[in-house]
Amino acid sequence: MNGGNMIYPKPTSYVKTDSFFCVKKSLSVKIPEEQKAVLMTVKSLFKEFDFKIEPEKADILLTNDPDILSESYKLKIDKDNIELFFSDSAGAFYGLISLCQALTGGQPACGTVEDGPGLKLRGFMLDISRGKVPTLESLKALVDKLAIFKINHFQLYLEGIAFAYPEHGDLWKDKTPITPEEISELDLYCRDRFIDLVPCQNGLGHMAEWFSSDAIRSFAECEDGFEVFGRKFPPTTLDASDERPYEFVKSLFDQLLPNFSSKLCNACLDEPFEMCTCKNKGKNKFELYSQYANRLNDYLKSKDLRMMMWGDIVAKDPLVLELLADDILILDWGYEAEYPFFERAAVISKSNRDFCLCPGTNSWLTFTGNSDNMLNCIKNAAETAYGHGAKGLILTDWGDAGHLQYIPISYAGLAYAAGYAWSPHGATEQDAAKALDLFVFKDKAGLMGKLAFDAGRYEQFEEFRIANRSLASTVLSSGLTDKEEYEKLLALFAMSVGYFSPDVVAEAYTESYEQRGTFKINPLLKYLESLEAELSKSRMECEDSALVKNEFENALKMVKASSMLRDVILNDGNHPELDTLFDEIISKHRHLWLARNKEHGLEEGLEPFKKIKDRLQK
């Protein structure tokens, strides 16, 4: 394994001596009655340890200390015994997790650990609305990983009909959404792991799937859709001045909220692209937006909930900050290394509002990630969060274009962000990789953690940077086309970043496009081959080790096949194996999808690959 043991995220203080605790096969624990359930939960996360409760003398002694802060703990490690001090159950839970981490991989150094969270809210948000709805078993497995990394806030992003709304069974009867019963069971599972499962449902923009119903389509701001840079899009945004859409959104929340115990709710309200361009043309967009958000906030307060909302519209005009209710929790998102978190946080902080900063895993539309951008973006967001007094850090994991990436691709970002969310000391890529090897992949060869980061570095062999995706993924939009049409698409992608992103981000990507080089396939293929060789040497012992290995193999094949197709389009490259490669990818992806997720959305997500394969075989 990757050399020795560790506590991750890095504790506040670990003063070590020269001696070591003697790890036994079975460890006895003396524990207060009210914390026995906590111990059982931790045992389920670290099955390799056999803890026996002992009412008298024991190897590990848990003691309540009212002077220790909430969620914090103290460990005193001696050669023959360990004492854990805490003031609440969350502190006992995190202390036991750290203890199990320290016991993993060898004998922990004697000494004193004093530790507690740097940020109050340490979150992860998973998109389940781009076709991929995980099974309850898969969600529980993910929650276990969140708990091991001391994450305490979890959102499942909902837009459209990814949830089985009881009043809209006719719209999801042929789909496989997450059910109310599954949410309720997951909520309880999260609570046992000191994770707040927070309802998250878009209540203004991103309504395109709902508008497939003629009755609901009449609620749209632009019923005939809208255009951006000459491209036609279906309607996505509700008419914020009409009472009927507002009542419709309230009814969706009424059906969703009873399945959660959280006192928070994310109403999203991001990217209302068409607002004030059709039915409300001529009205002040920011005033109408604020009025709508405040009404929804009043409704959620009547349910004893605190509203959260994305900060992209807040960022566009200071008027929104002035008009919004003071108690709304702002979630400022940005997924590029250049995103101006610092400047944005300064403005929000000056308004005396609570806010969280929300970077991304960068796994979506990349197949295997975009590690360097991800690392810099998370570090930027986290350091700003500490510098400007943010309430927390929430890592987002999106599923654009059919959610083709596999969940282990996102583990690198999760581990790195968790390190920063818990500790103001932050994390290194090397420590995050080692933590993945020890606690997630359980790789005896100590390779998978590093590979999880390195798999997201093929972008260095592409000819320019593109926002929120890799160039390899652009073939999902272009298919097998000619060079002229493909170049037009790339120019459109490069230009459109200014529509979605702040100027400083747009400028960086425009400059990269303008200084683009020539795409050369051979260095990229060599790099992928080196990753495949490393993957073959891994010796994972996690419960899903075979599945993880197959997921990384197929993800690397997606990069390889998509890049070869780009070489065909741009350079008249000759890759006769392409049609066979796409066949293999499609077949394997079906198996891998169903191993963790419900069925609906699988074939739709594969449609771009299937079209490419059909064109190649003609």
Side-chain angles (χ1 to χ4, degrees):
M1 194 172 282
N2 197 12
N5 48 20
M6 73 185 309
I7 295 175
Y8 190 86
K10 185 177 181 179
T12 306
S13 171
Y14 189 173
V15 179
K16 300 178 182 180
T17 68
D18 293 333
S19 54
F20 297 87
F21 174 77
C22 182
V23 179
K24 307 171 187 176
K25 186 174 181 181
S26 178
L27 291 165
S28 57
V29 182
K30 185 176 180 181
I31 185 170
E33 184 68 31
E34 61 271 20
Q35 303 305 339
K36 287 181 179 178
V38 172
L39 178 63
M40 293 303 104
T41 299
V42 174
K43 280 182 68 173
S44 74
L45 299 175
F46 293 87
K47 296 182 177 65
E48 60 269 37
F49 295 117
D50 182 23
F51 293 116
K52 304 288 188 184
I53 294 177
E54 173 58 58
E56 298 302 329
K57 186 175 173 61
D59 301 307
I60 301 168
L61 175 65
L62 273 73
T63 303
N64 191 290
D65 181 347
D67 292 332
I68 291 178
L69 296 175
S70 175
E71 293 191 285
S72 302
Y73 65 90
K74 181 178 179 179
L75 279 170
K76 290 182 68 177
I77 305 172
D78 293 321
K79 286 190 292 185
D80 300 318
N81 62 76
I82 296 174
E83 293 182 273
L84 170 59
F85 302 91
F86 55 90
S87 65
D88 60 5
S89 294
F93 182 71
Y94 295 132
L96 284 168
I97 284 176
S98 291
L99 173 58
C100 289
Q101 290 177 340
L103 294 171
T104 300
Q107 296 177 324
C110 293
T112 302
V113 179
E114 295 188 72
D115 197 14
L119 294 175
K120 183 176 179 60
L121 192 156
R122 309 175 298 280
F124 184 74
M125 191 222 71
L126 177 67
D127 182 357
I128 65 168
S129 295
R130 298 317 201 284
K132 182 183 282 185
V133 178
T135 62
L136 180 59
E137 181 183 11
S138 294
L139 287 170
K140 287 180 176 179
L142 175 59
V143 166
D144 284 346
K145 293 171 182 62
L146 301 182
I148 287 170
F149 288 135
K150 302 182 177 79
I151 295 295
N152 68 351
H153 177 105
F154 185 32
Q155 297 184 30
L156 298 173
Y157 172 74
L158 290 173
E159 67 174 64
I161 315 165
F163 173 72
Y165 297 90
E167 294 177 14
H168 298 285
D170 57 320
L171 297 179
W172 56 258
K173 62 183 178 181
D174 297 323
K175 302 180 180 181
T176 52
I178 194 167
T179 67
E181 295 76 18
E182 288 170 330
I183 290 286
S184 296
E185 186 173 338
L186 184 65
D187 184 80
L188 181 60
Y189 194 82
C190 286
R191 288 207 309 266
D192 286 343
R193 286 147 184 80
F194 297 88
I195 294 172
D196 188 17
L197 183 65
V198 175
C200 172
Q201 174 186 277
N202 219 316
L204 181 59
H206 290 274
M207 303 295 286
E209 190 175 4
W210 288 108
F211 293 149
S212 63
S213 162
D214 289 339
I216 299 174
R217 192 184 185 94
S218 67
F219 298 163
E221 167 75 17
C222 299
E223 293 183 39
D224 296 327
F226 65 109
E227 272 191 21
V228 178
F229 298 121
R231 297 181 70 192
K232 184 77 174 175
F233 292 90
T236 68
T237 303
L238 292 167
D239 175 358
S241 68
D242 190 334
E243 191 67 19
R244 297 173 305 148
Y246 172 71
E247 291 297 328
F248 168 68
V249 168
K250 280 174 56 182
S251 76
L252 296 182
F253 278 112
D254 285 341
Q255 296 166 71
L256 178 67
L257 295 176
N259 306 292
F260 295 82
S261 59
S262 178
K263 292 300 181 183
L264 295 171
C265 178
N266 186 3
C268 299
L269 309 185
D270 61 312
E271 298 185 328
F273 296 126
E274 308 98 289
M275 200 170 195
C276 293
T277 61
C278 292
K279 293 177 180 176
N280 290 291
K281 191 170 185 177
K283 294 183 180 179
N284 184 303
K285 174 180 178 178
F286 301 110
E287 288 182 358
L288 181 60
Y289 179 86
S290 302
Q291 290 166 8
Y292 182 87
N294 287 339
R295 284 194 74 189
L296 203 50
N297 182 50
D298 288 341
Y299 156 76
L300 290 172
K301 279 200 293 189
S302 75
K303 301 281 187 181
D304 197 27
L305 295 171
R306 185 177 189 187
M307 189 171 101
M308 312 170 89
M309 58 177 278
W310 300 117
D312 53 306
I313 301 301
V314 173
K316 286 184 169 64
D317 195 305
L319 177 64
V320 182
L321 265 183
E322 293 178 22
L323 297 176
L324 278 180
D326 293 339
D327 54 353
I328 296 175
L329 180 57
I330 305 296
L331 309 178
D332 196 38
W333 57 266
Y335 310 131
E336 307 303 332
E338 296 84 359
Y339 186 81
F341 279 117
F342 190 86
E343 292 80 0
R344 289 287 311 119
V347 173
I348 300 172
S349 178
K350 192 174 179 181
S351 72
N352 294 316
R353 294 175 179 276
D354 285 338
F355 65 98
C356 295
L357 299 181
C358 308
T361 61
N362 283 158
S363 62
W364 63 95
L365 285 173
T366 61
F367 307 124
T368 59
N370 183 347
S371 295
D372 292 327
N373 182 77
M374 174 269 290
L375 290 165
N376 288 322
C377 183
I378 289 173
K379 183 179 181 182
N380 177 12
E383 290 180 349
T384 299
Y386 285 108
H388 278 293
K391 189 177 182 68
L393 188 78
I394 302 175
L395 184 71
T396 61
D397 193 40
W398 299 100
D400 298 50
H403 212 142
L404 291 173
Q405 80 274 16
Y406 306 112
I407 189 63
I409 301 299
S410 299
Y411 291 169
L414 170 59
Y416 189 70
Y420 266 102
W422 180 266
S423 172
H425 300 302
T428 66
E429 177 184 338
Q430 291 73 26
D431 280 349
K434 181 177 178 180
L436 288 172
D437 279 334
L438 287 169
F439 313 128
V440 176
F441 298 128
K442 300 182 180 179
D443 183 14
K444 294 294 185 183
L447 297 172
M448 275 305 300
K450 184 175 186 300
L451 179 64
F453 285 93
D454 286 345
R457 290 197 161 100
Y458 73 87
E459 185 202 30
Q460 63 188 299
F461 301 102
E462 296 182 330
E463 63 271 35
F464 66 94
R465 295 173 64 208
I466 187 168
N468 270 313
R469 64 175 65 215
S470 66
L471 285 172
S473 76
T474 57
V475 301
L476 298 173
S477 300
S478 70
L480 178 54
T481 187
D482 60 46
K483 183 175 181 178
E484 183 180 357
E485 287 302 311
Y486 183 64
E487 291 280 15
K488 287 180 182 176
L489 179 70
L490 294 184
L492 178 64
F493 279 138
M495 177 174 60
S496 63
V497 66
Y499 184 77
F500 299 97
S501 304
D503 290 344
V504 65
V505 175
E507 288 166 7
Y509 283 88
T510 299
E511 181 180 354
S512 179
Y513 174 70
E514 290 173 347
Q515 296 178 1
R516 63 192 181 280
T518 301
F519 179 50
K520 297 178 181 178
I521 187 71
N522 288 334
L524 190 153
L525 294 180
K526 274 181 129 176
Y527 184 71
L528 296 177
E529 286 171 11
S530 71
L531 295 175
E532 289 167 347
E534 287 295 285
L535 182 61
S536 69
K537 297 175 189 174
S538 65
R539 292 186 289 125
M540 290 180 282
E541 294 185 354
C542 53
E543 292 179 356
D544 58 349
S545 59
L547 179 56
V548 171
K549 188 171 184 179
N550 286 329
E551 287 169 326
F552 271 92
E553 283 178 348
N554 213 45
L556 290 170
K557 280 186 179 180
M558 288 180 181
V559 177
K560 182 178 182 179
S562 298
S563 299
M564 283 180 171
L565 187 66
R566 296 186 68 239
D567 189 48
V568 170
I569 296 169
L570 289 169
N571 303 319
D572 292 324
N574 182 29
H575 302 284
E577 69 272 40
L578 259 182
D579 59 342
T580 302
L581 192 53
F582 273 108
D583 256 338
E584 291 174 359
I585 289 168
I586 291 167
S587 176
K588 180 63 73 70
H589 185 73
R590 288 188 174 114
H591 167 74
L592 296 175
W593 176 292
L594 294 174
R596 297 192 195 270
N597 309 287
K598 300 188 179 191
E599 184 173 2
H600 184 76
L602 166 57
E603 294 302 324
E604 291 84 351
L606 276 173
E607 203 59 40
F609 280 163
K610 289 188 286 187
K611 287 179 179 177
I612 291 168
K613 183 197 75 170
D614 291 344
R615 285 286 308 276
L616 287 167
Q617 292 178 347
K618 283 183 181 178

